[in-house]
Amino acid sequence: MPNAAPYALIFDMDGVLIDNTAYQARAFQLLFRDLGLTTNARRLLERQNGMPATKILETVFASDVPKKKLSTYADQREFLYRTIYWDKRKEVDGLTEFLKAARAAGFKIGLGTGSGLDTIGYIIDHLQLRQYFDVVITKDDVDKGKPHADTYVLTARELGVPPERCVVFEDAIVGEQAAYKAGMRCIGLSTSVKPDKFQSPMAVIKDFTKLTPEKVLELMKQNPTIPKPSKEMAKRQYMHV
C-alpha cells in the first residue's frame, strides 16, 4: 500500500465471482413461460441484473402484483436457477489468485450482493471463497437494493474504509450505478453486458487473469474523479418490457 490508510475491493457476486448470467436468464425465461409472459429475459437482465428478483419481476407486469405473489415467483425462479446451474458452479477465471494477491497487498475485501444468505452459501461456500471476504452484505442487510447505494455504503462502513478508497467490481449496469451513488469507482466485468454498455468504469475485464492489485491502484490514480450516476440509465432500468 502506498500509505497507511487501507483500500478496499468490493465484489458483487452474480456475474463477478461466477459467470452465471445465462443461467439466471434461462431460469427467468422458464418462469415467464409458465406465467404466460413474452418478456425476453436476457434483454431484461441487461438493464436490471443486480436488482433483487422481486424488483426485477415488478417491471414485467402491466399492473401491480401483490408482494407475496412476487416473492412466490422469485422463489420459483430461484429453484429453477439452482436446478439448471447446480453442476456448472465455478469461479470466474483467475479470481482466487487475485483475491489472494489483494489480501497480501493489504486490501480489505467485501462482498455486496442483492442475493440472500442461502444463495450466497450456495455459491461462495461451495467454491470455498468465504475465507477471502472480511465482510459479506446481502439483500437482507439493507432496506433498498441496487441501484440504490445502500449495499455498497454498508459494505464500506463495515470494512472501515471511506468510499473514495473503494473499488467496486460489477457486471451489471444497476450495480455500476449503485457504486457511483455510493461515491466509489468501478471496474466492470463483461460477463453479462457488452463493455460499451457501462457508463464510466475505470476498466472492463473479462476475468481476473490479467488483473493485479498494483494495476487497480494504478487505475485509481489515473481515474481520481468519482463518476456521477446517469439519470438516463436510471430511467431505462425501470422501463416495462
Side-chain angles (χ1 to χ4, degrees):
M1 286 295 173
N3 57 47
Y7 289 86
L9 305 179
I10 302 177
F11 294 78
D12 177 38
M13 185 174 72
D14 296 311
V16 175
L17 305 186
I18 52 175
D19 185 0
N20 64 335
T21 301
Y23 301 96
Q24 295 273 19
R26 177 61 176 159
F28 270 111
Q29 203 67 67
L30 289 170
L31 174 65
F32 295 158
R33 185 181 68 180
D34 189 49
L35 296 175
L37 300 172
T38 59
T39 303
N40 184 298
R42 194 61 194 251
R43 287 204 296 267
L44 177 71
L45 290 184
E46 282 184 5
R47 293 197 308 275
Q48 299 178 347
N49 200 21
M51 296 169 63
T54 51
K55 293 295 183 182
I56 294 174
L57 288 168
E58 277 182 359
T59 69
V60 302
F61 294 97
S63 57
D64 290 341
V65 175
K67 289 185 178 180
K68 187 174 181 180
K69 184 166 285 189
L70 287 173
S71 181
T72 298
Y73 293 155
D75 288 344
Q76 286 181 246
R77 186 218 63 92
E78 181 69 13
F79 174 78
L80 290 165
Y81 160 65
R82 291 195 189 196
T83 300
I84 62 179
Y85 192 55
W86 184 266
D87 295 325
K88 306 294 192 301
R89 289 172 289 177
K90 69 173 185 175
E91 67 176 52
V92 168
D93 289 346
L95 174 65
T96 292
E97 290 78 8
F98 177 68
L99 290 172
K100 288 179 178 178
R103 268 200 171 283
F107 281 90
K108 296 288 188 72
I109 303 177
L111 177 65
T113 174
S115 295
L117 277 173
D118 56 343
T119 305
I120 289 172
Y122 169 76
I123 298 300
I124 68 171
D125 290 332
H126 175 76
L127 299 176
Q128 300 182 342
L129 295 173
R130 191 181 292 269
Q131 61 188 306
Y132 301 110
F133 294 99
D134 300 297
V135 169
V136 173
I137 298 299
T138 77
K139 68 176 183 179
D140 303 313
D141 298 312
V142 296
D143 293 328
K144 295 180 179 180
K146 304 170 192 177
H148 299 283
D150 301 31
T151 299
Y152 291 138
V153 168
L154 181 58
T155 305
R157 185 182 305 149
E158 293 294 315
L159 288 169
V161 179
E164 65 272 14
R165 297 178 74 86
C166 296
V167 175
V168 170
F169 289 87
E170 266 289 353
D171 69 307
I173 296 169
V174 296
E176 183 193 17
Q177 295 299 298
Y180 299 152
K181 289 176 183 177
M184 303 173 186
R185 281 160 283 191
C186 181
I187 292 176
L189 274 90
S190 58
T191 55
S192 303
V193 297
K194 294 179 180 178
D196 61 2
K197 296 289 185 181
F198 289 102
Q199 180 192 327
S200 303
M202 296 193 297
V204 179
I205 58 177
K206 67 175 183 177
D207 56 39
F208 295 94
T209 54
K210 296 182 179 180
L211 190 65
T212 64
E214 293 76 20
K215 179 62 176 177
V216 174
L217 291 173
E218 180 183 335
L219 287 169
M220 294 181 77
K221 186 175 181 180
Q222 293 171 355
N223 298 269
T225 303
I226 310 297
K228 299 292 184 183
S230 166
K231 293 181 180 179
E232 180 58 32
M233 285 188 172
K235 289 179 183 177
R236 277 185 276 165
Q237 287 157 14
Y238 292 104
M239 287 174 56
H240 285 278
V241 290

